[in-house]
Amino acid sequence: MFLGRIRRTASAPVELVALRDGGLVSLADLGTDDPVALLNSHGLSRLSEEVASRRPVLDEAAVVFEPPVATCTKICCLALNYVAHAEESGMEVPPEPVLFFKPPSALTGHNRPVIAPARTSHLEHEVELAVVIGKVTRDLPAERWREAVAGYTVVNDMTARDLQLVNIGRNVPWDQSKGFDTFAPAGPYLATVDEVPDPQALELTLEVDGEVRQRANTKQMVFGIPRLIADLSDGMTLMPGDLIATGTIAGIAPLKDGDTMRATVEGVGTLVNTVKFRSA
C-alpha cells in the first residue's frame, strides 16, 4: 500500500490518500492526515481492506503533494554509506556510521520546487532510500529492527556543496549546507512494509532532465538498515514519523536553475522536483 498526503488545491486542507489502480483513494473521513498514526491505529491488514473497498476519486496529476509524514521530529542522515560515493568524495569509508541531521523544516513534497538560497551557487542531488519510523523506538537490537519500521519513502538529500566544502575545510559542522528549507524532498508516498519485503535489494537511480547520473543498489550499503536502526536508537529515541535517510550513491553532480530531478527507489516510488536558484 502506498499512502500519501495531498491538497486538492494549494490552499486546501491536507488530506490522506492511498494510491490504487493508477488513481488516488481518499481517506479523509478516517480522521487524520498522518499515515503513520493511521497504520498504528488500524493495522496494515485492516487498512488495506479499507482501501480495497473504495474507488479512486483523484488524479495524481491534479493534486499538490505534501511530504508523506505528518509529524517528524528529526531526519537522521547517513554520510558515506556507499563505498563508491566515499571514493568520489575523496574520503575514507568510515568504520562506524556517520550521522548528521536535517530539520523537519527542510521537508518538501513531490513535484514541489527545491529552492537554493542566494548564498549558494553549487547545488547537488543525492538520491536515498529513507526508512519511516513507525513507533517510539529506543535501544532496539539489530535483529528486531523491523519492529520500528512503518514503511519507506524516497528522499533527495539536497546539498549546497560549496558551503559544505568550506565548512569541511574549516573543520566545523556542515549541517547548514544540508538543512535549508526544501532541501529534503520526500515522497511521493509512504510505501508500507508489505510493498518492500527486502529493502536491501532495491535499485536506486537519479535522472536530471532525462540523463541518468546516479545508479546503484541498496545491497551496496556499508551499514545496512538493521545496524543503522540499532545504532541510532542506542540512547536516542526515534519517534513515529522520523526519517532515516540511509545514504547516497556515487554520481553526485552540480545542478542548474530549471533542472528537473527524478529520484527513484525500486518498489518505493519516483520523486520529482525542479531546481530554482534565488539568484537566477
Side-chain angles (χ1 to χ4, degrees):
M1 181 166 43
F2 297 87
L3 298 172
R5 300 173 63 248
I6 61 97
R7 298 178 190 268
R8 299 196 184 209
T9 67
S11 59
V14 177
E15 182 175 339
L16 186 61
V17 295
L19 179 65
R20 178 176 167 232
D21 300 332
L24 298 178
V25 174
S26 175
L27 302 175
D29 61 316
L30 296 183
T32 181
D33 70 344
D34 186 335
V36 175
L38 192 62
L39 282 167
N40 286 336
S41 64
H42 282 61
L44 181 57
S45 178
R46 178 183 163 198
L47 187 56
S48 296
E49 292 175 359
E50 184 71 40
V51 170
S53 70
R54 304 182 181 210
R55 64 180 182 85
V57 295
L58 297 168
D59 183 352
E60 281 185 285
V63 301
V64 178
F65 279 86
E66 295 291 330
V69 288
T71 58
C72 178
T73 69
K74 52 192 169 292
I75 306 168
C76 305
C77 302
L78 278 298
L80 307 175
N81 201 29
Y82 288 83
V83 172
H85 174 57
E87 291 175 345
E88 74 175 349
S89 302
M91 298 183 181
E92 295 182 0
V93 177
E96 301 286 337
V98 175
L99 172 68
F100 64 94
F101 294 96
K102 284 180 181 264
S105 55
L107 286 168
T108 192
H110 172 62
N111 282 335
R112 308 291 283 273
V114 169
I115 302 173
R119 69 176 67 190
T120 181
S121 60
H122 187 160
L123 191 64
E124 293 190 357
H125 53 74
E126 299 187 14
V127 59
E128 307 192 13
L129 169 68
V131 178
V132 182
I133 297 299
K135 71 173 189 177
V136 176
T137 300
R138 182 173 172 181
D139 300 328
L140 187 69
E143 63 271 18
R144 292 171 52 196
W145 67 275
R146 292 184 185 274
E147 297 175 20
V149 180
Y152 305 89
T153 193
V154 185
V155 164
N156 191 347
D157 173 16
M158 303 302 301
T159 305
R161 194 71 69 195
D162 49 356
L163 305 183
Q164 183 192 39
L165 292 175
V166 167
N167 286 332
I168 288 174
R170 294 172 55 204
N171 198 30
V172 298
W174 37 265
D175 299 69
Q176 186 183 46
S177 66
K178 298 272 194 174
F180 294 111
D181 290 354
T182 75
F183 269 38
Y189 301 101
L190 183 161
T192 51
V193 293
D194 58 313
E195 299 286 352
V196 189
D198 185 1
Q200 301 288 178
L202 306 176
E203 290 290 317
L204 301 95
T205 59
L206 187 133
E207 300 178 11
V208 176
D209 291 341
E211 173 196 359
V212 177
R213 292 191 176 181
Q214 294 183 278
R215 175 173 286 154
N217 194 287
T218 57
K219 67 185 178 183
Q220 297 168 303
M221 286 183 194
V222 177
F223 304 105
I225 293 171
R227 168 68 185 278
L228 295 178
I229 290 177
D231 186 83
L232 291 172
S233 70
D234 181 4
M236 180 175 71
T237 302
L238 302 175
M239 299 298 293
D242 284 355
L243 300 179
I244 301 175
T246 56
T248 199
I249 57 180
I252 57 173
L255 295 154
K256 64 181 186 299
D257 188 67
D259 279 349
T260 296
M261 305 171 290
R262 295 179 60 87
T264 300
V265 178
E266 178 187 4
V268 177
T270 296
L271 171 68
V272 180
N273 301 95
T274 298
V275 175
K276 175 64 177 175
F277 280 87
R278 288 195 183 277
S279 56

PDB file of all heavy atoms in Angstrom, residues 50-85:
ATOM      1  N   GLU A  50      -9.729  -1.590   3.859  1.00  0.00           N
ATOM      2  CA  GLU A  50     -10.461  -0.329   3.736  1.00  0.00           C
ATOM      3  C   GLU A  50     -10.163   0.324   2.387  1.00  0.00           C
ATOM      4  O   GLU A  50     -11.073   0.788   1.686  1.00  0.00           O
ATOM      5  CB  GLU A  50     -10.070   0.603   4.872  1.00  0.00           C
ATOM      6  CG  GLU A  50     -10.825   1.926   4.912  1.00  0.00           C
ATOM      7  CD  GLU A  50     -12.276   1.760   5.323  1.00  0.00           C
ATOM      8  OE1 GLU A  50     -12.558   0.964   6.232  1.00  0.00           O
ATOM      9  OE2 GLU A  50     -13.124   2.449   4.716  1.00  0.00           O
ATOM     10  N   VAL A  51      -8.902   0.342   2.002  1.00  0.00           N
ATOM     11  CA  VAL A  51      -8.522   0.946   0.726  1.00  0.00           C
ATOM     12  C   VAL A  51      -9.108   0.153  -0.437  1.00  0.00           C
ATOM     13  O   VAL A  51      -9.617   0.727  -1.410  1.00  0.00           O
ATOM     14  CB  VAL A  51      -6.984   1.031   0.613  1.00  0.00           C
ATOM     15  CG1 VAL A  51      -6.557   1.433  -0.799  1.00  0.00           C
ATOM     16  CG2 VAL A  51      -6.431   2.021   1.635  1.00  0.00           C
ATOM     17  N   ALA A  52      -9.074  -1.172  -0.345  1.00  0.00           N
ATOM     18  CA  ALA A  52      -9.578  -2.020  -1.431  1.00  0.00           C
ATOM     19  C   ALA A  52     -11.079  -1.855  -1.641  1.00  0.00           C
ATOM     20  O   ALA A  52     -11.590  -2.100  -2.745  1.00  0.00           O
ATOM     21  CB  ALA A  52      -9.246  -3.478  -1.138  1.00  0.00           C
ATOM     22  N   SER A  53     -11.789  -1.423  -0.599  1.00  0.00           N
ATOM     23  CA  SER A  53     -13.247  -1.282  -0.708  1.00  0.00           C
ATOM     24  C   SER A  53     -13.666   0.041  -1.344  1.00  0.00           C
ATOM     25  O   SER A  53     -14.857   0.256  -1.592  1.00  0.00           O
ATOM     26  CB  SER A  53     -13.879  -1.399   0.676  1.00  0.00           C
ATOM     27  OG  SER A  53     -13.577  -0.258   1.482  1.00  0.00           O
ATOM     28  N   ARG A  54     -12.699   0.929  -1.611  1.00  0.00           N
ATOM     29  CA  ARG A  54     -13.018   2.257  -2.130  1.00  0.00           C
ATOM     30  C   ARG A  54     -12.495   2.409  -3.552  1.00  0.00           C
ATOM     31  O   ARG A  54     -11.516   1.773  -3.938  1.00  0.00           O
ATOM     32  CB  ARG A  54     -12.403   3.344  -1.234  1.00  0.00           C
ATOM     33  CG  ARG A  54     -12.829   3.246   0.221  1.00  0.00           C
ATOM     34  CD  ARG A  54     -12.230   4.356   1.046  1.00  0.00           C
ATOM     35  NE  ARG A  54     -12.622   4.265   2.452  1.00  0.00           N
ATOM     36  CZ  ARG A  54     -12.745   5.300   3.261  1.00  0.00           C
ATOM     37  NH1 ARG A  54     -12.493   6.533   2.815  1.00  0.00           N
ATOM     38  NH2 ARG A  54     -13.115   5.146   4.512  1.00  0.00           N
ATOM     39  N   ARG A  55     -13.122   3.284  -4.288  1.00  0.00           N
ATOM     40  CA  ARG A  55     -12.659   3.517  -5.653  1.00  0.00           C
ATOM     41  C   ARG A  55     -11.865   4.818  -5.719  1.00  0.00           C
ATOM     42  O   ARG A  55     -12.113   5.761  -4.963  1.00  0.00           O
ATOM     43  CB  ARG A  55     -13.839   3.588  -6.621  1.00  0.00           C
ATOM     44  CG  ARG A  55     -14.791   4.750  -6.403  1.00  0.00           C
ATOM     45  CD  ARG A  55     -15.923   4.728  -7.432  1.00  0.00           C
ATOM     46  NE  ARG A  55     -16.819   5.872  -7.258  1.00  0.00           N
ATOM     47  CZ  ARG A  55     -16.611   7.071  -7.784  1.00  0.00           C
ATOM     48  NH1 ARG A  55     -15.527   7.281  -8.518  1.00  0.00           N
ATOM     49  NH2 ARG A  55     -17.469   8.070  -7.588  1.00  0.00           N
ATOM     50  N   PRO A  56     -10.888   4.872  -6.624  1.00  0.00           N
ATOM     51  CA  PRO A  56     -10.112   6.110  -6.776  1.00  0.00           C
ATOM     52  C   PRO A  56     -10.994   7.273  -7.205  1.00  0.00           C
ATOM     53  O   PRO A  56     -11.881   7.115  -8.049  1.00  0.00           O
ATOM     54  CB  PRO A  56      -9.107   5.748  -7.864  1.00  0.00           C
ATOM     55  CG  PRO A  56      -9.016   4.255  -7.824  1.00  0.00           C
ATOM     56  CD  PRO A  56     -10.386   3.791  -7.464  1.00  0.00           C
ATOM     57  N   VAL A  57     -10.758   8.435  -6.623  1.00  0.00           N
ATOM     58  CA  VAL A  57     -11.563   9.618  -6.944  1.00  0.00           C
ATOM     59  C   VAL A  57     -10.712  10.807  -7.360  1.00  0.00           C
ATOM     60  O   VAL A  57     -11.244  11.843  -7.755  1.00  0.00           O
ATOM     61  CB  VAL A  57     -12.442  10.026  -5.734  1.00  0.00           C
ATOM     62  CG1 VAL A  57     -13.465   8.946  -5.429  1.00  0.00           C
ATOM     63  CG2 VAL A  57     -11.588  10.318  -4.504  1.00  0.00           C
ATOM     64  N   LEU A  58      -9.374  10.672  -7.253  1.00  0.00           N
ATOM     65  CA  LEU A  58      -8.493  11.789  -7.560  1.00  0.00           C
ATOM     66  C   LEU A  58      -7.402  11.343  -8.519  1.00  0.00           C
ATOM     67  O   LEU A  58      -6.972  10.178  -8.514  1.00  0.00           O
ATOM     68  CB  LEU A  58      -7.845  12.329  -6.281  1.00  0.00           C
ATOM     69  CG  LEU A  58      -8.775  12.924  -5.229  1.00  0.00           C
ATOM     70  CD1 LEU A  58      -8.015  13.135  -3.925  1.00  0.00           C
ATOM     71  CD2 LEU A  58      -9.348  14.241  -5.719  1.00  0.00           C
ATOM     72  N   ASP A  59      -6.917  12.288  -9.307  1.00  0.00           N
ATOM     73  CA  ASP A  59      -5.834  12.062 -10.252  1.00  0.00           C
ATOM     74  C   ASP A  59      -4.531  12.587  -9.646  1.00  0.00           C
ATOM     75  O   ASP A  59      -4.477  13.715  -9.155  1.00  0.00           O
ATOM     76  CB  ASP A  59      -6.156  12.792 -11.560  1.00  0.00           C
ATOM     77  CG  ASP A  59      -5.114  12.559 -12.645  1.00  0.00           C
ATOM     78  OD1 ASP A  59      -4.061  11.967 -12.362  1.00  0.00           O
ATOM     79  OD2 ASP A  59      -5.362  12.990 -13.786  1.00  0.00           O
ATOM     80  N   GLU A  60      -3.476  11.775  -9.698  1.00  0.00           N
ATOM     81  CA  GLU A  60      -2.179  12.201  -9.160  1.00  0.00           C
ATOM     82  C   GLU A  60      -1.724  13.532  -9.748  1.00  0.00           C
ATOM     83  O   GLU A  60      -1.109  14.348  -9.061  1.00  0.00           O
ATOM     84  CB  GLU A  60      -1.110  11.156  -9.478  1.00  0.00           C
ATOM     85  CG  GLU A  60      -1.106   9.938  -8.598  1.00  0.00           C
ATOM     86  CD  GLU A  60       0.070   9.049  -8.948  1.00  0.00           C
ATOM     87  OE1 GLU A  60       0.007   8.374 -10.006  1.00  0.00           O
ATOM     88  OE2 GLU A  60       1.050   9.014  -8.186  1.00  0.00           O
ATOM     89  N   ALA A  61      -1.993  13.722 -11.018  1.00  0.00           N
ATOM     90  CA  ALA A  61      -1.506  14.915 -11.706  1.00  0.00           C
ATOM     91  C   ALA A  61      -2.258  16.176 -11.315  1.00  0.00           C
ATOM     92  O   ALA A  61      -1.832  17.279 -11.649  1.00  0.00           O
ATOM     93  CB  ALA A  61      -1.582  14.717 -13.217  1.00  0.00           C
ATOM     94  N   ALA A  62      -3.382  16.025 -10.603  1.00  0.00           N
ATOM     95  CA  ALA A  62      -4.241  17.178 -10.324  1.00  0.00           C
ATOM     96  C   ALA A  62      -4.199  17.618  -8.865  1.00  0.00           C
ATOM     97  O   ALA A  62      -5.016  18.449  -8.455  1.00  0.00           O
ATOM     98  CB  ALA A  62      -5.678  16.845 -10.723  1.00  0.00           C
ATOM     99  N   VAL A  63      -3.250  17.074  -8.086  1.00  0.00           N
ATOM    100  CA  VAL A  63      -3.201  17.414  -6.670  1.00  0.00           C
ATOM    101  C   VAL A  63      -1.830  17.978  -6.313  1.00  0.00           C
ATOM    102  O   VAL A  63      -0.872  17.857  -7.077  1.00  0.00           O
ATOM    103  CB  VAL A  63      -3.510  16.191  -5.781  1.00  0.00           C
ATOM    104  CG1 VAL A  63      -4.896  15.635  -6.096  1.00  0.00           C
ATOM    105  CG2 VAL A  63      -2.440  15.115  -5.930  1.00  0.00           C
ATOM    106  N   VAL A  64      -1.744  18.591  -5.144  1.00  0.00           N
ATOM    107  CA  VAL A  64      -0.497  19.141  -4.621  1.00  0.00           C
ATOM    108  C   VAL A  64       0.006  18.195  -3.528  1.00  0.00           C
ATOM    109  O   VAL A  64      -0.709  17.932  -2.559  1.00  0.00           O
ATOM    110  CB  VAL A  64      -0.718  20.550  -4.040  1.00  0.00           C
ATOM    111  CG1 VAL A  64       0.583  21.097  -3.463  1.00  0.00           C
ATOM    112  CG2 VAL A  64      -1.283  21.488  -5.108  1.00  0.00           C
ATOM    113  N   PHE A  65       1.207  17.677  -3.689  1.00  0.00           N
ATOM    114  CA  PHE A  65       1.747  16.706  -2.740  1.00  0.00           C
ATOM    115  C   PHE A  65       2.442  17.392  -1.569  1.00  0.00           C
ATOM    116  O   PHE A  65       3.197  18.347  -1.750  1.00  0.00           O
ATOM    117  CB  PHE A  65       2.741  15.774  -3.422  1.00  0.00           C
ATOM    118  CG  PHE A  65       2.104  14.657  -4.190  1.00  0.00           C
ATOM    119  CD1 PHE A  65       1.704  14.839  -5.502  1.00  0.00           C
ATOM    120  CD2 PHE A  65       1.903  13.421  -3.602  1.00  0.00           C
ATOM    121  CE1 PHE A  65       1.109  13.815  -6.219  1.00  0.00           C
ATOM    122  CE2 PHE A  65       1.315  12.379  -4.303  1.00  0.00           C
ATOM    123  CZ  PHE A  65       0.912  12.577  -5.620  1.00  0.00           C
ATOM    124  N   GLU A  66       2.187  16.867  -0.385  1.00  0.00           N
ATOM    125  CA  GLU A  66       2.916  17.216   0.820  1.00  0.00           C
ATOM    126  C   GLU A  66       3.872  16.062   1.155  1.00  0.00           C
ATOM    127  O   GLU A  66       3.728  14.955   0.634  1.00  0.00           O
ATOM    128  CB  GLU A  66       1.946  17.440   1.985  1.00  0.00           C
ATOM    129  CG  GLU A  66       1.007  18.629   1.798  1.00  0.00           C
ATOM    130  CD  GLU A  66       1.747  19.959   1.854  1.00  0.00           C
ATOM    131  OE1 GLU A  66       2.782  20.033   2.559  1.00  0.00           O
ATOM    132  OE2 GLU A  66       1.297  20.910   1.191  1.00  0.00           O
ATOM    133  N   PRO A  67       4.862  16.275   2.026  1.00  0.00           N
ATOM    134  CA  PRO A  67       5.708  15.145   2.451  1.00  0.00           C
ATOM    135  C   PRO A  67       4.848  14.025   3.022  1.00  0.00           C
ATOM    136  O   PRO A  67       3.793  14.285   3.612  1.00  0.00           O
ATOM    137  CB  PRO A  67       6.606  15.771   3.525  1.00  0.00           C
ATOM    138  CG  PRO A  67       6.643  17.232   3.193  1.00  0.00           C
ATOM    139  CD  PRO A  67       5.279  17.549   2.645  1.00  0.00           C
ATOM    140  N   PRO A  68       5.274  12.781   2.881  1.00  0.00           N
ATOM    141  CA  PRO A  68       4.428  11.645   3.265  1.00  0.00           C
ATOM    142  C   PRO A  68       4.396  11.345   4.757  1.00  0.00           C
ATOM    143  O   PRO A  68       3.846  10.315   5.158  1.00  0.00           O
ATOM    144  CB  PRO A  68       5.049  10.480   2.486  1.00  0.00           C
ATOM    145  CG  PRO A  68       6.482  10.855   2.367  1.00  0.00           C
ATOM    146  CD  PRO A  68       6.508  12.351   2.224  1.00  0.00           C
ATOM    147  N   VAL A  69       4.981  12.205   5.583  1.00  0.00           N
ATOM    148  CA  VAL A  69       4.854  12.085   7.039  1.00  0.00           C
ATOM    149  C   VAL A  69       4.272  13.387   7.583  1.00  0.00           C
ATOM    150  O   VAL A  69       4.665  14.473   7.160  1.00  0.00           O
ATOM    151  CB  VAL A  69       6.209  11.771   7.718  1.00  0.00           C
ATOM    152  CG1 VAL A  69       6.638  10.341   7.418  1.00  0.00           C
ATOM    153  CG2 VAL A  69       7.299  12.753   7.299  1.00  0.00           C
ATOM    154  N   ALA A  70       3.329  13.256   8.497  1.00  0.00           N
ATOM    155  CA  ALA A  70       2.672  14.442   9.059  1.00  0.00           C
ATOM    156  C   ALA A  70       3.450  15.024  10.224  1.00  0.00           C
ATOM    157  O   ALA A  70       3.427  16.230  10.463  1.00  0.00           O
ATOM    158  CB  ALA A  70       1.249  14.085   9.500  1.00  0.00           C
ATOM    159  N   THR A  71       4.093  14.162  10.986  1.00  0.00           N
ATOM    160  CA  THR A  71       4.922  14.604  12.102  1.00  0.00           C
ATOM    161  C   THR A  71       6.301  13.983  11.944  1.00  0.00           C
ATOM    162  O   THR A  71       6.426  12.799  11.625  1.00  0.00           O
ATOM    163  CB  THR A  71       4.325  14.188  13.457  1.00  0.00           C
ATOM    164  OG1 THR A  71       4.188  12.758  13.491  1.00  0.00           O
ATOM    165  CG2 THR A  71       2.961  14.828  13.668  1.00  0.00           C
ATOM    166  N   CYS A  72       7.324  14.790  12.181  1.00  0.00           N
ATOM    167  CA  CYS A  72       8.702  14.328  12.052  1.00  0.00           C
ATOM    168  C   CYS A  72       9.547  15.172  12.993  1.00  0.00           C
ATOM    169  O   CYS A  72       9.607  16.398  12.835  1.00  0.00           O
ATOM    170  CB  CYS A  72       9.177  14.482  10.605  1.00  0.00           C
ATOM    171  SG  CYS A  72      10.899  14.008  10.324  1.00  0.00           S
ATOM    172  N   THR A  73      10.159  14.554  13.972  1.00  0.00           N
ATOM    173  CA  THR A  73      10.983  15.323  14.904  1.00  0.00           C
ATOM    174  C   THR A  73      12.406  15.489  14.410  1.00  0.00           C
ATOM    175  O   THR A  73      13.110  16.399  14.840  1.00  0.00           O
ATOM    176  CB  THR A  73      11.004  14.683  16.304  1.00  0.00           C
ATOM    177  OG1 THR A  73      11.728  13.451  16.257  1.00  0.00           O
ATOM    178  CG2 THR A  73       9.595  14.434  16.819  1.00  0.00           C
ATOM    179  N   LYS A  74      12.841  14.605  13.521  1.00  0.00           N
ATOM    180  CA  LYS A  74      14.210  14.677  13.003  1.00  0.00           C
ATOM    181  C   LYS A  74      14.349  13.816  11.751  1.00  0.00           C
ATOM    182  O   LYS A  74      13.659  12.804  11.589  1.00  0.00           O
ATOM    183  CB  LYS A  74      15.227  14.231  14.058  1.00  0.00           C
ATOM    184  CG  LYS A  74      14.938  12.883  14.685  1.00  0.00           C
ATOM    185  CD  LYS A  74      15.796  12.654  15.899  1.00  0.00           C
ATOM    186  CE  LYS A  74      15.337  11.429  16.710  1.00  0.00           C
ATOM    187  NZ  LYS A  74      14.006  11.665  17.348  1.00  0.00           N
ATOM    188  N   ILE A  75      15.249  14.258  10.887  1.00  0.00           N
ATOM    189  CA  ILE A  75      15.650  13.475   9.722  1.00  0.00           C
ATOM    190  C   ILE A  75      17.083  13.049   9.971  1.00  0.00           C
ATOM    191  O   ILE A  75      18.006  13.870   9.972  1.00  0.00           O
ATOM    192  CB  ILE A  75      15.542  14.295   8.431  1.00  0.00           C
ATOM    193  CG1 ILE A  75      14.139  14.895   8.284  1.00  0.00           C
ATOM    194  CG2 ILE A  75      15.883  13.429   7.216  1.00  0.00           C
ATOM    195  CD1 ILE A  75      14.033  15.956   7.201  1.00  0.00           C
ATOM    196  N   CYS A  76      17.273  11.770  10.239  1.00  0.00           N
ATOM    197  CA  CYS A  76      18.594  11.218  10.524  1.00  0.00           C
ATOM    198  C   CYS A  76      19.246  10.820   9.202  1.00  0.00           C
ATOM    199  O   CYS A  76      18.715   9.978   8.480  1.00  0.00           O
ATOM    200  CB  CYS A  76      18.488   9.997  11.426  1.00  0.00           C
ATOM    201  SG  CYS A  76      17.591  10.264  12.964  1.00  0.00           S
ATOM    202  N   CYS A  77      20.376  11.417   8.880  1.00  0.00           N
ATOM    203  CA  CYS A  77      21.014  11.201   7.583  1.00  0.00           C
ATOM    204  C   CYS A  77      22.363  10.520   7.767  1.00  0.00           C
ATOM    205  O   CYS A  77      23.137  10.886   8.659  1.00  0.00           O
ATOM    206  CB  CYS A  77      21.212  12.534   6.867  1.00  0.00           C
ATOM    207  SG  CYS A  77      19.697  13.471   6.605  1.00  0.00           S
ATOM    208  N   LEU A  78      22.656   9.569   6.904  1.00  0.00           N
ATOM    209  CA  LEU A  78      23.908   8.839   6.971  1.00  0.00           C
ATOM    210  C   LEU A  78      24.842   9.315   5.874  1.00  0.00           C
ATOM    211  O   LEU A  78      24.454   9.407   4.707  1.00  0.00           O
ATOM    212  CB  LEU A  78      23.670   7.332   6.833  1.00  0.00           C
ATOM    213  CG  LEU A  78      23.246   6.612   8.120  1.00  0.00           C
ATOM    214  CD1 LEU A  78      24.341   6.730   9.192  1.00  0.00           C
ATOM    215  CD2 LEU A  78      21.930   7.109   8.665  1.00  0.00           C
ATOM    216  N   ALA A  79      26.066   9.634   6.262  1.00  0.00           N
ATOM    217  CA  ALA A  79      27.080  10.080   5.311  1.00  0.00           C
ATOM    218  C   ALA A  79      28.005   8.926   4.950  1.00  0.00           C
ATOM    219  O   ALA A  79      28.300   8.059   5.786  1.00  0.00           O
ATOM    220  CB  ALA A  79      27.894  11.223   5.921  1.00  0.00           C
ATOM    221  N   LEU A  80      28.438   8.897   3.684  1.00  0.00           N
ATOM    222  CA  LEU A  80      29.475   7.962   3.223  1.00  0.00           C
ATOM    223  C   LEU A  80      29.085   6.507   3.486  1.00  0.00           C
ATOM    224  O   LEU A  80      29.914   5.689   3.888  1.00  0.00           O
ATOM    225  CB  LEU A  80      30.815   8.288   3.904  1.00  0.00           C
ATOM    226  CG  LEU A  80      31.285   9.746   3.789  1.00  0.00           C
ATOM    227  CD1 LEU A  80      32.547   9.967   4.613  1.00  0.00           C
ATOM    228  CD2 LEU A  80      31.497  10.133   2.336  1.00  0.00           C
ATOM    229  N   ASN A  81      27.825   6.169   3.216  1.00  0.00           N
ATOM    230  CA  ASN A  81      27.348   4.813   3.478  1.00  0.00           C
ATOM    231  C   ASN A  81      27.400   3.920   2.243  1.00  0.00           C
ATOM    232  O   ASN A  81      26.876   2.810   2.268  1.00  0.00           O
ATOM    233  CB  ASN A  81      25.929   4.844   4.060  1.00  0.00           C
ATOM    234  CG  ASN A  81      25.579   3.569   4.796  1.00  0.00           C
ATOM    235  OD1 ASN A  81      26.465   2.889   5.343  1.00  0.00           O
ATOM    236  ND2 ASN A  81      24.305   3.211   4.820  1.00  0.00           N
ATOM    237  N   TYR A  82      28.022   4.407   1.170  1.00  0.00           N
ATOM    238  CA  TYR A  82      28.310   3.606  -0.016  1.00  0.00           C
ATOM    239  C   TYR A  82      29.776   3.840  -0.378  1.00  0.00           C
ATOM    240  O   TYR A  82      30.242   4.992  -0.415  1.00  0.00           O
ATOM    241  CB  TYR A  82      27.414   3.995  -1.191  1.00  0.00           C
ATOM    242  CG  TYR A  82      25.977   3.567  -1.037  1.00  0.00           C
ATOM    243  CD1 TYR A  82      25.069   4.330  -0.303  1.00  0.00           C
ATOM    244  CD2 TYR A  82      25.503   2.397  -1.634  1.00  0.00           C
ATOM    245  CE1 TYR A  82      23.743   3.944  -0.166  1.00  0.00           C
ATOM    246  CE2 TYR A  82      24.176   1.998  -1.498  1.00  0.00           C
ATOM    247  CZ  TYR A  82      23.304   2.775  -0.771  1.00  0.00           C
ATOM    248  OH  TYR A  82      21.991   2.388  -0.634  1.00  0.00           O
ATOM    249  N   VAL A  83      30.505   2.779  -0.654  1.00  0.00           N
ATOM    250  CA  VAL A  83      31.943   2.885  -0.896  1.00  0.00           C
ATOM    251  C   VAL A  83      32.241   3.807  -2.073  1.00  0.00           C
ATOM    252  O   VAL A  83      33.112   4.683  -1.989  1.00  0.00           O
ATOM    253  CB  VAL A  83      32.553   1.486  -1.139  1.00  0.00           C
ATOM    254  CG1 VAL A  83      34.010   1.605  -1.582  1.00  0.00           C
ATOM    255  CG2 VAL A  83      32.453   0.631   0.114  1.00  0.00           C
ATOM    256  N   ALA A  84      31.518   3.638  -3.189  1.00  0.00           N
ATOM    257  CA  ALA A  84      31.810   4.433  -4.384  1.00  0.00           C
ATOM    258  C   ALA A  84      31.577   5.918  -4.141  1.00  0.00           C
ATOM    259  O   ALA A  84      32.292   6.768  -4.687  1.00  0.00           O
ATOM    260  CB  ALA A  84      30.976   3.940  -5.561  1.00  0.00           C
ATOM    261  N   HIS A  85      30.565   6.254  -3.335  1.00  0.00           N
ATOM    262  CA  HIS A  85      30.328   7.673  -3.020  1.00  0.00           C
ATOM    263  C   HIS A  85      31.438   8.225  -2.138  1.00  0.00           C
ATOM    264  O   HIS A  85      31.876   9.368  -2.317  1.00  0.00           O
ATOM    265  CB  HIS A  85      28.974   7.846  -2.343  1.00  0.00           C
ATOM    266  CG  HIS A  85      28.722   9.240  -1.864  1.00  0.00           C
ATOM    267  ND1 HIS A  85      28.750  10.329  -2.699  1.00  0.00           N
ATOM    268  CD2 HIS A  85      28.457   9.731  -0.616  1.00  0.00           C
ATOM    269  CE1 HIS A  85      28.515  11.434  -2.009  1.00  0.00           C
ATOM    270  NE2 HIS A  85      28.328  11.094  -0.743  1.00  0.00           N
TER     271      HIS A  85
END
